[in-house]
Amino acid sequence: KVVLKKADGSAGPVEGYNIDVYRTDAPNGKLPSTKTDAKGEFVIAGIPANQVFAVVVSGPGIRPEVSTGVKAGVTLSITLT
């Protein structure tokens, strides 16, 4: 789930942000991309189990946010500022 925290302290889900996933154990480990839905949620189907990934979130008005050490099947919550 991706949530954008605004300067006034309020926060809410973001729709249409890009989600890029990379395997960290392979030199060309880029997996298919997806986008967040209206709830700020996303699913990457078919990723290998027992692997560790880096997840990059990007969208309008933010710098790309990188989360490392992400394991397949784990719920990831990202707050953007």
Side-chain angles (χ1 to χ4, degrees), residues 2-77:
V2 180
V3 174
L4 180 62
K5 187 174 183 182
K6 299 176 185 172
D8 66 4
S10 65
V14 291
E15 181 177 6
Y17 276 40
N18 298 314
I19 306 295
D20 295 303
V21 180
Y22 300 86
R23 286 181 59 171
T24 57
D25 64 337
N28 294 320
K30 173 90 170 67
L31 298 174
S33 300
T34 191
K35 292 186 180 283
T36 56
D37 64 16
K39 295 179 183 177
E41 298 175 346
F42 64 93
V43 174
I44 305 287
I47 60 174
N50 301 320
Q51 297 292 325
V52 178
F53 302 91
V55 177
V56 181
V57 179
S58 60
I62 65 161
R63 283 181 268 158
E65 178 73 27
V66 179
S67 296
T68 58
V70 178
K71 293 185 179 181
V74 174
T75 299
L76 177 65
S77 196

